[in-house]
Amino acid sequence: MSDYGDLLAGVRRRTKISRYRPVVLFLVPVAAILFQVYVPLFLDYLGYLELPLLVTVYFAAMRRRPVAGLLYGAGIGLAQDALSQNPLGMFGIVKTLVGYFAASASLRFDADNPGSRFVLAFFFFVFHQAMYWVLGRALIGTPVELGAARTLVLAGMNGAVAVPFFHLLDKLKES
Amino acid sequence: MELLTHRYRTLTILALVIAGQLLLLGYQVRTQGDVRLVRVWAVTAVTPVARLLETARRDVSTALDTYVFLAGAQKENRLLKRQLGELKFEVRRLRRELARADRAEALKLFIERSPSKMVAARVIGAGTGADSKVVFIDRGTRDGVKKGMAVVTPEGIAGRVAAAYPTASRVVLVTDPSFAAGVVSARTHVQGTLKGMGGRACRVDYVQNEQHVEEGEWFYTSGDDRVFPRGLPVGPVKVSREGKLLREILVEPAGLQAGMEEVLVILEGVHQPVPAPAADEPEFELLPPPDTLTTMAEPGAARPTPVLTDADRLLETYRRIGQAQGHVYGEGRPGSPPPDFNWEPGPAPRKRSPSGGGHE
């Protein structure tokens, strides 16, 4: 027990676990999904902003609990699926993995640093799109397009938005 | 050991959650079914909020238009600018009303002129996902909307109802990769299948390289898919080129070009003929019109015949030779002398009298 246990305890001591009120954990993803449903009708280019993904990454990374992260991601993904053309589970599976890996990564990296946040958002956007493409092709045979250059540009955009967005969400931390 | 236990516990939960969702996916794909209850809950929860947001947006937009512009106007000249601002606001309001009336009038006219039974609907939301080509409309099963019904705008087809809920419906746009519809070209009547590509354009599949489709030519619905009635406009061809096996044709969907605020759902479709294209340029070259019409010199002729071609001129020459020599063509007996075709008559008179000079 002792060696690995000490290592884990050491990592946990260095990483700060943030806490949020349940109402915040519920309303923020709802608002993100509503944003994605409503705003692109009038501002087309904002349709490429994956706010539900950013919310998943943020809360999973800041709470630093992989189980909570994966369940949170699954919930947001399934809610997205219910409002999309996909069968239920496409976004669910992808965001489950995102939640899990974001929480796991936050145990090893400083998720409070703006640079780390940009990298996390950038990486998980690419991961999200790639996994979605794989699932679409492999499971339901949907001809989903995945342009590498376009995905990287959008990942950069989402990463750039993530830094101030995460800073805003920091204000909702429970003191 | 504690670390390993912890890791396995997390991984087990992860595997269970993924497996559960995979089973859910598999069930839907295998049965071609849907977990309708979850979607009904989600859409019913989102619809009122989306309606509220839409109403709030319109109100805020109007208020901002009023306040911001009038406040700016008062800084320069309180009285004059206030009047100007009021007029601006009035013009803007009238323009907005006019645009709204135009859209409403266009929809009304389209409904009146179309034999199909339709219901107007407002777009209240978009689907989730970065590349979503799905929208929600505020008409559902309570208004008679059913899954599979066609959604159009006066400019062209817009999509298909993918799911109908009590208060709203989900519409797959023509640009979605899962969308398909039977189409036919207006000029050459080439049949194909319109498919969304996830971008702004759509492609028309299953057209042979030998079939001729020109850029700019319009495609219309063919009615073969039993969703869209025949004769609805789809859009003009932007690209048409030979492919490896089949012709590559890209079409710009006209129904989405003017933005989508209001749409029409076709409750009962009626097929219509595909409109004929505008009159083509003639493929043969007509002779230019004559400057002056040369009339025939037939005495008492009821109608003058214009001399247009070399053949007409030759005929006219022979006729005058026959007249001058008293020869009636077709009545000469065998062995009788023919007219002297080497005799050259003078310039053709406008009209000859019956006693006009002849050549002996």
Side-chain angles (χ1 to χ4, degrees):
Chain A
M1 130 102 192
S2 49
D3 286 349
Y4 288 114
D6 290 347
L7 178 64
L8 183 64
V11 168
R12 279 186 177 161
R13 269 197 303 276
R14 284 198 300 275
T15 54
K16 192 175 67 180
I17 295 174
S18 303
R19 295 186 188 283
Y20 300 86
R21 290 177 185 166
V23 68
V24 169
L25 294 175
F26 175 75
L27 284 183
V28 170
V30 168
I33 290 173
L34 276 175
F35 178 91
Q36 205 175 33
V37 165
Y38 188 70
V39 175
L41 279 182
F42 306 99
L43 302 168
D44 195 21
Y45 56 91
L46 288 183
Y48 297 112
L49 204 55
E50 258 288 345
L51 279 193
L53 171 74
L54 298 183
V55 168
T56 306
V57 171
Y58 175 79
F59 282 116
M62 298 309 290
R63 293 166 78 200
R64 296 183 170 93
R65 286 156 52 194
V67 174
L70 74 90
L71 292 176
Y72 197 70
I76 292 178
L78 287 172
Q80 255 190 303
D81 279 325
L83 295 169
S84 76
Q85 176 63 9
N86 310 320
L88 289 181
M90 288 280 287
F91 280 123
I93 291 172
V94 176
K95 285 199 167 56
T96 301
L97 293 171
V98 167
Y100 173 75
F101 288 125
S104 303
S106 68
L107 292 172
R108 288 156 183 81
F109 301 102
D110 178 16
D112 290 319
N113 184 289
S116 307
R117 288 177 167 189
F118 176 85
V119 173
L120 278 176
F122 182 92
F123 171 77
F124 281 114
F125 184 87
V126 175
F127 175 79
H128 180 275
Q129 296 302 96
M131 279 301 296
Y132 184 76
W133 181 81
V134 169
L135 286 181
R137 291 263 171 180
L139 294 182
I140 59 172
T142 306
V144 183
E145 296 293 331
L146 181 73
R150 183 171 166 276
T151 304
L152 291 176
V153 169
L154 292 181
M157 281 169 51
N158 278 271
V161 170
V163 176
F165 181 59
F166 287 2
H167 184 69
L168 196 70
L169 291 177
D170 282 341
K171 309 282 182 196
L172 302 173
K173 279 182 189 171
E174 211 172 24
S175 55
Chain B
M1 185 63 198
E2 190 182 332
L3 175 67
L4 291 176
T5 313
H6 176 80
R7 180 168 291 173
Y8 281 134
R9 186 175 69 89
T10 307
L11 285 177
T12 307
I13 293 171
L14 175 67
L16 283 175
V17 173
I18 297 281
Q21 293 182 83
L22 279 172
L23 282 174
L24 187 65
L25 257 177
Y27 165 77
Q28 293 169 86
V29 172
R30 190 177 179 83
T31 61
Q32 292 291 313
D34 198 4
V35 189
R36 186 172 164 76
L37 200 58
V38 178
R39 293 196 192 268
V40 169
W41 285 347
V43 172
T44 310
V46 164
T47 305
V49 183
R51 277 188 177 156
L52 199 68
L53 284 171
E54 171 64 11
T55 309
R57 183 190 69 84
R58 291 192 178 187
D59 291 350
V60 168
S61 168
T62 307
L64 277 178
D65 281 353
T66 311
Y67 177 74
V68 172
F69 286 101
L70 282 184
Q74 282 171 351
K75 284 179 185 173
E76 287 186 30
N77 185 316
R78 187 168 290 174
L79 182 62
L80 191 60
K81 282 290 180 182
R82 187 168 63 195
Q83 287 175 350
L84 185 63
E86 283 170 0
L87 286 174
K88 274 184 182 175
F89 172 63
E90 187 66 12
V91 168
R92 199 169 299 116
R93 188 184 66 79
L94 288 173
R95 276 185 185 159
R96 211 167 31 232
E97 290 293 324
L98 193 62
R100 198 172 296 161
D102 280 350
R103 280 203 304 273
E105 187 66 21
L107 286 176
K108 192 179 160 198
L109 265 178
F110 187 70
I111 292 173
E112 282 174 3
R113 287 179 183 173
S114 173
S116 301
K117 188 180 171 189
M118 304 179 190
V119 60
R122 213 169 62 189
V123 177
I124 55 169
T128 53
D131 294 324
S132 171
K133 301 295 174 192
V134 175
V135 294
F136 286 92
I137 57 173
D138 66 346
R139 298 282 189 172
T141 50
R142 287 180 192 166
D143 307 292
V145 177
K146 293 176 187 168
K147 181 183 176 183
M149 285 181 168
V151 179
V152 301
T153 66
E155 288 80 25
I157 64 169
R160 172 175 45 80
V161 176
Y165 307 104
T167 55
S169 300
R170 194 173 78 238
V171 175
V172 177
L173 299 180
V174 291
T175 47
D176 190 87
S178 67
F179 181 90
V183 293
V184 59
S185 69
R187 186 175 298 167
T188 48
H189 291 270
V190 169
Q191 301 247 1
T193 302
L194 182 82
K195 288 185 177 176
M197 297 166 64
R200 290 183 186 277
C202 300
R203 70 173 189 274
V204 178
D205 273 353
Y206 311 123
V207 176
Q208 303 294 327
N209 275 330
E210 295 76 24
Q211 292 178 300
H212 195 62
V213 176
E214 288 178 0
E215 290 177 7
E217 185 173 357
W218 272 71
F219 267 93
Y220 288 81
T221 52
S222 64
D224 297 336
D225 49 43
R226 297 175 185 253
V227 172
F228 292 94
R230 185 179 176 85
L232 291 172
V234 174
V237 174
K238 285 292 162 193
V239 176
S240 175
R241 58 181 172 235
E242 287 195 5
K244 283 183 181 173
L245 295 173
L246 299 167
R247 180 168 279 275
E248 291 175 2
I249 300 172
L250 296 184
V251 170
E252 192 174 27
L256 307 183
Q257 297 307 313
M260 279 185 60
E261 285 191 38
E262 286 98 8
V263 294
L264 297 164
V265 183
I266 299 181
L267 302 179
E268 289 172 19
V270 176
H271 293 296
Q272 290 177 278
V274 173
D280 293 342
E281 288 293 317
E283 291 179 0
F284 52 89
E285 196 174 336
L286 284 176
L287 288 170
D291 293 337
T292 55
L293 292 180
T294 308
T295 56
M296 285 180 54
E298 287 291 339
R303 234 176 16 170
T305 303
V307 176
L308 299 173
T309 63
D310 288 343
D312 289 335
R313 288 188 198 97
L314 190 63
L315 183 66
E316 174 63 12
T317 304
Y318 285 172
R319 197 184 303 277
R320 287 170 58 197
I321 288 172
Q323 267 190 338
Q325 297 180 21
H327 181 84
V328 181
Y329 293 103
E331 289 186 1
R333 291 179 179 178
S336 61
D340 179 8
F341 288 108
N342 293 323
W343 176 76
E344 290 184 4
R350 277 280 174 199
K351 193 172 180 180
R352 289 184 183 178
S353 64
S355 58
H359 184 76
E360 293 296 313

